[in-house]
Amino acid sequence: MKACLNRTIAAAGLAALLVSGTLPPASAADPGWHTSSSLIGTSKYGDDFKRYDYVNPNAPKGGTLNTTTAGTFDSFNPYIVQGNPAAGFAGFGGGLLYDTLMEQSVDEGSVSHPLVAEAYKYPDDFSSATYRLDPRAKWHDGKPITVEDVIWSFTVLKANSPLYNKYYANVTEAVATGEREVTFRFDQKGNRELPKIMGDLVVLPKHWWEGTDANGKKRDIGRPTQEPPLGSAAYKISSFKAGTEIVWERVPDYWGAQLPVKIGRENFDKRRFTYFLDDNAAWQAFGKGGFQDFRAESSAKRWATEYNFPAIQAGDVTKSEYPTTSGQPMQAYVMNTRRPLFADPRVRKAITMAFDFETMNRTLFYGSYTRTDSYFEGGELASSGIPQGKELEILEPFRDKLPPELFTQEFKLPVYDTPQAGRENLRAAVQMFKEAGWVNRGGRLANEKTGEQFRIEFLGSDPTDERVATPYIDSLRRLGIDATLRIIDESQYINRTRSFDFDMLALSSFAQSQSPGNEQRDFFSSKAADTPGSRNLAGINNPVVDALVDRVIFATDRDDLIAATHALDRVLLWNYYMVPQWHLGKVRAAYWNKFGIPEKQPGYIGVDIDSWWIDKDKEAALAAKYKGVN
């Protein structure tokens, strides 16, 4: 099923967007400068990182990568709540335009390598971090990237971006401590992730944003803009058609082209993004050629039955699957607990009991998916069994505020493997509704006191949402719930999710790293629940969750982090804030045969399209055969 990448505030599947966690003791004890950093053990490249081992260092540059996206855009400023940013911009990170202090590795979890900063250091108590800028780093106008740019970027991002505000909540200030050195000071000691994740800071050009446009109007970082901004990364905006197309071009004298993270990558001269109404329209365009060269397929039905168009049959389009080791996102139907309707956890559990994954997987998804049963799916961070050892110690102080079953029963989602099991699950749901004050009156699930019927509107932004929501809606209706689905356009959907204006989301996804930390505040904290634009879509407002989020952030070592994450995961699951859906564990991709491709791809994210290049002979052959393919 589609991964909903363009409408979730955390991307999932092709890349791990956030890395944080605990630094290895050997690194923490070293008072000197560090270049490549790892939060889980040691990077496989050691201290002598020259390039990724899977890339072709001699990959030719040239050609165009055509991509489609759904919806529209009206802004080139992704770091504010207002506006819909154009494709190629990123709400976290630099996207195609800006470089960050360090770049997260695409083939190892919780590893970063130098970019704008060539090295960093931190004291033994983790009370600050100092980054030393690469003297070669410059903006596209040739001016150097300065410490002043870094300080200004930190300040405006914390002021304007809910995501950065939560991510760097414990960072009190950024100050110049040398000509090329900037120090970030923290309000607490012992947050072992902060020195590392300061490298995720995107650096913006202060002199450009504080200047004036061609009409003499002063620019404002706090407002949307359709003036192409000055950047520092490998691409800049070449042209755009408002709301329908944006074309990026590679910067020929990009300052960082020979950095280890860039060698053999970012090979396309142009990257064109064409907007379509929805994913179905984009799919039709892919089969015709010319609009989309590479497609990560999220529909199991389409993958199984619809990749039979002429170009596939002729061998001009290839299907491939790339396993990933980066863990799986929590993809779910999300209940908005800000609404009184979902305030009672018994109601949320009853709604969860009504979801029949097994039948959907068999009849709609060709048996290709596995049920997700953890917020940290796919590795050692996922909770299991009953709490023991250090995890139990962490949970014990909150015992009287948690469901008693959490301590005595393994968390299990309902299984619909037989007709009898289905009937039992629905009966259990009816009983839970009754305990919460909702009873059946003439086939309607009604409030015992007011007589008002239980109503849920699912919100979606793509016609395929109907496919994932309708079977679930049918199950809820059998319980007497007035359940409906509303499909709206992408812009409306973004605005309504930012303002938390929904009952339930038909599909949303929350990607996690293998070393969770500060970003958990934006996912789950009470403060984020009241912050428009945050990723706490469920509106989780729970002091125990807040305490466990901090426990994760201030974990003392890897074992402590794992135990704290297990505790957080377990508490989230037993409170039934979301109805978990499914995951795949690999990237399904199809592409027109115009590419040169390295012999292997990074197993961590599955596939790195930036390591591919255009094979001019293949491209010419396709262009001769299919009109418009280039």
Side-chain angles (χ1 to χ4, degrees), residues 341 437-439 441 444-455 480:
L341 192 67
W438 296 88
V439 296
R441 291 181 177 172
R444 298 164 62 250
L445 187 66
N447 186 283
E448 196 169 19
K449 295 180 179 179
T450 67
E452 182 180 359
Q453 187 176 10
F454 198 108
R455 291 183 171 87

Side-chain angles (χ1 to χ4, degrees), residues 552-564:
V552 168
I553 291 171
F554 290 96
T556 57
D557 54 35
R558 181 67 184 176
D559 288 341
D560 194 44
L561 175 68
I562 292 171

Side-chain angles (χ1 to χ4, degrees), residues 150-197:
V150 177
I151 295 171
W152 183 82
S153 299
F154 169 76
T155 302
V156 299
L157 287 169
K158 280 201 71 174
N160 291 282
S161 167
L163 197 160
Y164 278 96
N165 185 274
K166 300 294 182 301
Y167 199 52
Y168 294 136
N170 292 112
V171 188
T172 58
E173 63 177 345
V175 295
T177 50
E179 181 182 356
R180 292 189 291 114
E181 295 179 14
V182 56
T183 296
F184 301 94
R185 293 172 179 158
F186 312 145
D187 63 6
Q188 291 177 298
K189 299 177 182 179
N191 188 333
R192 300 169 67 88
E193 71 163 352
L194 267 180
K196 161 72 168 59
I197 66 169

Side-chain angles (χ1 to χ4, degrees), residues 118-136:
E118 63 182 7
Y120 80 113
K121 65 180 180 179
Y122 48 89
D124 291 342
D125 63 0
F126 306 98
S127 60
S128 66
T130 300
Y131 279 76
R132 187 176 70 212
L133 305 191
D134 190 320
R136 299 168 295 179

Side-chain angles (χ1 to χ4, degrees), residues 175-400:
V175 295
T177 50
E179 181 182 356
R180 292 189 291 114
E181 295 179 14
V182 56
T183 296
F184 301 94
R185 293 172 179 158
F186 312 145
D187 63 6
Q188 291 177 298
K189 299 177 182 179
N191 188 333
R192 300 169 67 88
E193 71 163 352
L194 267 180
K196 161 72 168 59
I197 66 169
M198 291 314 305
D200 295 335
L201 181 69
V202 61
V203 185
L204 306 174
K206 180 178 186 249
H207 69 283
W208 189 88
W209 280 104
E210 291 192 340
T212 57
D213 62 19
N215 297 318
K217 183 179 179 181
K218 186 170 172 42
R219 301 183 181 101
D220 184 356
I221 187 67
R223 302 286 301 170
T225 181
Q226 287 198 17
E227 178 188 12
L230 177 71
S232 61
Y235 289 90
K236 63 181 180 180
I237 297 173
S238 172
S239 63
F240 68 95
K241 298 175 184 177
T244 62
E245 181 187 85
I246 181 169
V247 180
W248 298 79
E249 64 180 359
R250 189 169 55 83
V251 177
D253 60 347
Y254 169 49
W255 75 271
Q258 295 306 310
L259 291 175
V261 291
K262 302 298 183 180
I263 291 174
R265 304 179 69 235
E266 297 175 331
N267 302 313
F268 308 112
D269 273 354
K270 291 189 176 181
R271 299 189 64 164
R272 176 183 289 110
F273 295 87
T274 304
Y275 281 77
F276 283 83
L277 180 63
D278 54 48
D279 186 62
N280 282 333
W283 158 247
Q284 296 299 324
F286 175 70
K288 295 177 181 178
F291 291 101
Q292 186 177 25
D293 300 324
F294 175 95
R295 179 180 175 85
E297 185 54 71
S298 52
S299 168
K301 176 179 181 295
R302 185 175 292 147
W303 189 253
T305 66
E306 298 182 33
Y307 277 80
N308 54 11
F309 49 87
I312 285 276
Q313 296 170 350
D316 296 321
V317 172
T318 295
K319 290 174 60 181
S320 296
E321 294 184 343
Y322 302 90
T324 65
T325 61
S326 57
Q328 302 304 314
M330 166 59 84
Q331 182 174 290
Y333 305 99
V334 180
M335 288 174 268
N336 186 358
T337 63
R338 301 171 187 84
R339 304 266 165 109
L341 192 67
F342 302 110
D344 192 321
R346 294 170 296 184
V347 166
R348 301 196 296 267
K349 183 176 180 180
I351 290 171
T352 301
M353 292 295 295
F355 177 51
D356 180 358
F357 163 72
E358 285 72 24
T359 299
M360 287 181 64
N361 194 36
R362 184 180 67 253
T363 61
L364 299 181
F365 306 148
Y366 298 82
S368 59
Y369 292 115
T370 300
R371 185 78 190 270
T372 298
D373 59 2
S374 169
Y375 284 77
F376 303 89
E377 187 72 45
E380 63 183 356
L381 298 173
S383 60
S384 62
I386 60 174
Q388 299 178 7
K390 185 176 287 188
E391 181 194 354
L392 181 58
E393 293 177 14
I394 292 170
L395 290 170
E396 194 64 47
F398 310 108
R399 182 180 283 269
D400 63 343

Side-chain angles (χ1 to χ4, degrees), residues 316 592-594 617-627 629:
D316 296 321
W592 285 81
N593 291 325
K594 59 184 284 185
D617 293 337
K618 292 181 179 179
E619 184 179 55
L622 286 176
K625 190 173 182 179
Y626 300 92
K627 184 179 180 180
V629 175

